[in-house]
């Protein structure tokens, strides 16, 4: 949050062009204010050693530790001078665990003289695995010696700040740059109203910035964090409160279902009773649709909790009231699946204008980018005349040519897969703003929903309909125990022999376009030591690919079974044909990418094997797993990984295997990945506009900030009397994010 113009001086003027370039490109830091708000991730104490046991694989880390041993090895290498190569292995310890550092070639000389047993230093590098042990290859390091005047100056405080860093710029170099800009903290304007600061006993912002970067005690860190968390929570909640306030001023057409209309006819022919949850959520939606302001509601529920049924009833209510409803799906496979299942559920009620159609019937139209010209022309005609009450489509619905007769409701499935512009373009097709229902099968903890979707009212479906079966999940450590993987393929065979079907999921397609090895050249013969050196510094092997795995399975462990492949780059007709064969039971094993992650419904599929499961996020694994156990037979999900037992990825997979509670898993997921840029279009990922606030841990602050924000906005919607808050808001909402909030 660049709070004030006074802090907007470009970094290149202060820290020099080379450092500024790295900060801009790799850490997204551009101004003095950005650097002041780049807070330490944690603090190391002179006498305290850090925990090496918690190192995340494949991430850039900084650790403070002590050298336990250092050994120099020589090996034969035709490339090295005089045919002798050198490798230095240093073991560092933190008292609870050890980590290996490796240096090769000319890079061994300096660390060999400096990293002697007993030496304490800060080490920075990317964590990799070699021979089942975690290591840092060629790490950067900074010695921590009391007698060194530079070190004493750099680490004068008892607490050493460890900053989020990158390969090109280590934590200690960032610390030196912060030292340069720290005097500017005095000029930071305070965005919090004075009454709020006093009421919550928060320290002023300049003092908080000084204490977070150069604390003298742990109490300094705590008071600084409390204050900085409030800044983030409050400014964000003011942005969302202003958005809700503006929405409440917009007009919309109230849509009330007609007695004896389409919805009543549909309910009368349902072969089952809606769950209590479905009835409760439907009432919340119908109440919203009956108002003259646009509904903005998030419908979240576990995989298979019946969200589509709730959304369909809302669409039917809008059609009853004379409007049209559009459902936006993220992929063609999912749009076709929704269209098929909705037409099946509605029966003759979906045959409006056709022979045999019921009296109250409407037409349900599909519109996707790959449709033929004649089908597309007819679909567009159905929409503009109002013949089609319900349309289901992909982003093809958003194109300029598409016109509606009277768009009353937009249902967005899997909200996180759509850009803001796409949703906005569809909402802009109504004569007045249509009502909006956003669905997600990724359960979101309450405060995350309140922060990320703070402008939406939230409905939760947490009951599974009757008849859904439990899913057993197990981790298969393929590298440690290869016989476990062999047993996994036997289990797939057993399920098929019982008349069931199975999915095998891979992270990559494996065609020319996504082959990471394409163009790689193999050199001459290498010595064992050279291969070890390469392996020590190389990236992990490429992710397993659908096309390769399908071929290997069909010719190996699943020989004799009908195996087919499915991925996103296939022609739409081919994809649909593969899905139809699988749904009809003709294909026994479907090897696919995450194209099957949402919406694919094959009740006879009971087993799923996820290859390289460590390459998927927790929520994604939970989504994928929800594709099995959709019928009366129990489901089985096997998470295959090469990761060693100590790796954090294994702990993550263990958590997925241990619970089917999506809300619990989403908390674990969030704690591991951070919140992502909650105001940008990515709702997860590396970059976060929340630098201090942890959505899961700071629930109370977020809830309190929301209350304060609502009060402030109700009394002064334009923030005329709070110029510092307005400035902070402008900084938070740069052009892109302002648009994001405007569009929802």
């Amino acid at each position: 949050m660049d709070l004030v113009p006074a802090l907007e001086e470009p970094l290149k003027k202060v820290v020099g062009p080379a450092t500024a370039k790295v900060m801009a490109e790799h850490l997204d830091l551009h101004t003095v204010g950005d650097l002041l708000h780049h807070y330490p991730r944690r603090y190391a104490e002179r006498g305290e050693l850090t925990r090496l046991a918690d190192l995340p694989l494949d991430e850039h880390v900084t650790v403070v530790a002590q050298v336990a041993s250092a050994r120099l090895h020589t090996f034969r290498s035709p490339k090295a001078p005089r045919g002798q190569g050198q490798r230095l292995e240093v073991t560092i310890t933190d008292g609870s665990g050890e980590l290996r550092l490796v240096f090769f070639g000319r890079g061994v000389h300096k660390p060999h003289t400096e990293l002697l047993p007993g030496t304490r230093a800060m080490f920075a590098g990317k964590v990799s695995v070699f021979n089942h042990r975690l290591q840092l290859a060629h790490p950067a390091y900074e010695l921590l010696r009391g007698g060194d005047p530079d070190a004493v100056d750099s680490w004068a405080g008892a607490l050493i700040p460890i900053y989020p860093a990158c390969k090109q710029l280590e934590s200690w170099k960032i610390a030196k740059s912060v030292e340069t800009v720290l005097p500017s903290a005095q000029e930071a304007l305070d965005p919090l109203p004075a009454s709020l600061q006093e009421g919550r006993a928060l320290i002023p912002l300049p003092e908080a910035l000084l204490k977070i970067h150069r604390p003298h005690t742990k109490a300094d860190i705590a008071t600084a964090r409390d204050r900085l968390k409030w800044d983030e929570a409050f400014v964000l909640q003011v942005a969302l409160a202003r958005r809700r306030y503006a929405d409440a001023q917009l007009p919309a057409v109230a849509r009330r279902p007609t007695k004896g209309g389409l919805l009543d006819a549909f309910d009368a022919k349902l072969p089952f009773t809606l769950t209590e949850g479905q009835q409760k959520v439907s009432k919340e939606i119908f109440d919203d649709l009956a108002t003259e302001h646009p509904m903005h509601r998030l419908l979240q529920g576990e995989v298979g909790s019946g969200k589509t049924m709730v959304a369909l009833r809302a669409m039917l209510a809008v059609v009853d009231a004379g409007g049209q409803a559009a459902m936006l799906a993220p992929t063609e496979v999912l749009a076709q699946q929704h269209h098929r299942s909705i037409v099946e559920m509605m029966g003759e009620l979906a045959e409006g204008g056709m022979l045999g159609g019921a009296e109250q019937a409407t037409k349900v139209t599909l519109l996707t980018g790959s449709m033929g010209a004649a089908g597309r022309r007819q679909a567009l005609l159905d929409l503009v005349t109002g013949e089609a009450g319900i349309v289901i489509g992909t982003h093809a619905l958003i194109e300029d040519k598409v016109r509606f007769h009277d768009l009353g409701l937009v249902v967005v499935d899997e909200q996180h897969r759509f850009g803001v512009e796409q949703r906005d373009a569809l909402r802009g097709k109504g004569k007045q703003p249509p009502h909006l229902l956003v669905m997600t099968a990724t359960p979101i903890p309450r405060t995350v929903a309140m922060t990320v979707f703070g402008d939406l009212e939230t409905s939760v479906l947490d009951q599974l309909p009757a008849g859904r079966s439990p899913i057993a999940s197990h981790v298969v450590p393929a590298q440690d125990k290869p016989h476990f993987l062999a047993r996994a393929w036997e289990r797939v065979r057993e399920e098929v022999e019982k008349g069931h079907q199975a999915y095998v999921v891979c992270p990559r397609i494996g065609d020319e376009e996504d082959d990471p090895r394409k163009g790689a050249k193999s050199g001459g013969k290498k010595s064992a030591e050279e291969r070890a050196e390469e392996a020590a510094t190389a990236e992990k092997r490429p992710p397993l690919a659908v096309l390769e795995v399908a071929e290997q399975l069909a010719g190996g462990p699943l020989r004799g079974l009908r195996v087919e492949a499915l991925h996103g780059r296939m022609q739409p007709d081919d994809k649909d044909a593969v899905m139809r064969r699988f749904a009809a039971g003709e294909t026994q094993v479907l090897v696919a990418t995450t194209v099957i992650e949402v919406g694919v419904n094959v009740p006879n599929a009971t087993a799923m094997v996820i290859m390289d499961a460590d390459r998927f996020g927790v929520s994604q694994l939970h989504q994928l797993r929800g594709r099995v156990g959709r019928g009366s037979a129990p489901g089985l999900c096997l998470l295959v990984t090469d990761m060693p037992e100590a790796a954090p990825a294994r702990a993550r997979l263990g958590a997925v295997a241990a619970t089917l509670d999506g809300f619990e898993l989403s908390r674990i997921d969030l704690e591991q990945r951070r919140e992502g840029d909650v105001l940008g279009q990515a709702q997860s990922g590396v970059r976060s506009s929340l630098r201090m606030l942890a959505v899961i841990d700071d629930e109370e602050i977020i809830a309190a900030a929301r209350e304060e924000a609502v009060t402030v906005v109700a009394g002064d919607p334009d923030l005329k009397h709070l110029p510092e808050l307005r400035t902070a808001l402008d900084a938070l909402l740069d052009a892109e994010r302002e648009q994001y909030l405007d569009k929802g």
Side-chain angles (χ1 to χ4, degrees), residues 559-624:
R559 189 186 289 111
L561 302 187
R562 293 188 297 281
V563 178
E564 278 205 85
L566 177 74
H567 60 78
R569 275 208 284 271
M570 291 167 68
Q571 288 300 316
D573 288 351
D574 295 342
K575 268 191 283 197
D576 201 36
V578 170
M579 270 317 302
R580 281 178 187 277
R581 283 195 291 276
F582 189 65
E586 293 166 29
T587 302
Q588 293 166 316
V589 179
L590 186 65
V591 184
T593 55
T594 54
V595 74
I596 58 135
E597 181 185 347
V598 286
V600 173
N601 184 26
V602 180
N604 191 44
T606 55
M608 176 176 284
V609 182
I610 302 178
M611 308 303 291
D612 280 344
D614 49 278
R615 308 224 185 202
F616 298 95
V618 170
S619 296
Q620 202 170 28
L621 291 170
H622 183 57
Q623 286 267 33
L624 287 164

Side-chain angles (χ1 to χ4, degrees), residues 292-499:
E292 292 180 354
H293 306 296
M295 167 173 79
H296 285 97
R297 189 165 283 279
L298 173 70
L299 171 58
Q300 56 166 325
E302 286 286 13
V303 174
S305 58
K307 293 183 300 297
T308 309
M309 173 62 70
V310 168
L312 175 55
R313 294 183 73 245
M315 292 196 285
L316 295 176
V318 168
V319 175
D320 267 352
Q324 291 168 290
M327 180 184 264
L328 195 55
T331 64
E332 293 213 351
V333 167
L334 192 48
Q336 288 161 343
Q337 178 94 23
H338 275 319
H339 182 255
R340 268 201 300 276
S341 64
I342 283 174
V343 167
E344 277 167 27
M345 282 195 274
M346 287 176 64
E348 72 276 10
L349 296 174
E351 295 171 0
M354 295 195 253
L355 284 173
E359 188 188 337
Q360 306 95 326
T362 188
K363 196 167 183 180
V364 180
T365 293
L366 176 70
L367 183 64
T368 64
S370 65
M371 287 172 76
R376 187 177 176 75
R377 219 172 14 251
Q378 185 58 54
L380 292 173
L381 192 62
D382 291 345
L383 294 188
V384 77
T385 60
E387 182 91 4
I390 295 176
V391 58
I392 294 146
T394 54
H395 53 271
L397 280 175
I398 295 161
E399 291 172 12
D400 289 344
K401 291 192 208 79
V402 180
R403 294 275 180 275
F404 288 85
H405 177 65
D406 181 12
L407 181 61
L409 171 67
V410 174
V411 178
V412 179
D413 191 20
E414 288 310 317
Q415 187 273 347
H416 62 280
R417 289 161 173 251
F418 284 100
V420 176
E421 290 80 8
Q422 293 170 308
R423 295 200 306 275
D424 181 53
L426 189 51
R427 280 171 60 188
K429 290 182 180 293
K431 289 168 186 163
Q432 283 193 332
H435 299 282
L436 175 68
L437 180 65
V438 167
M439 298 200 295
T440 178
T442 307
I444 304 165
R446 186 181 67 88
T447 45
V448 184
M450 203 161 75
T451 308
V452 180
F453 300 105
D455 57 326
L456 299 174
E457 297 301 324
T458 304
S459 294
V460 178
L461 278 173
D462 48 13
Q463 283 175 288
L464 289 186
R468 287 299 301 264
S469 303
I471 305 168
S473 304
H474 304 283
V475 178
V476 178
Q479 192 79 33
D480 302 349
K481 298 177 179 170
H483 60 287
F484 276 34
L485 183 58
R487 176 69 188 127
W489 301 127
E490 285 172 20
R491 283 292 290 112
V492 170
R493 271 193 179 279
E494 287 164 15
E495 289 300 308
V496 171
E497 278 161 16
K498 289 181 200 164

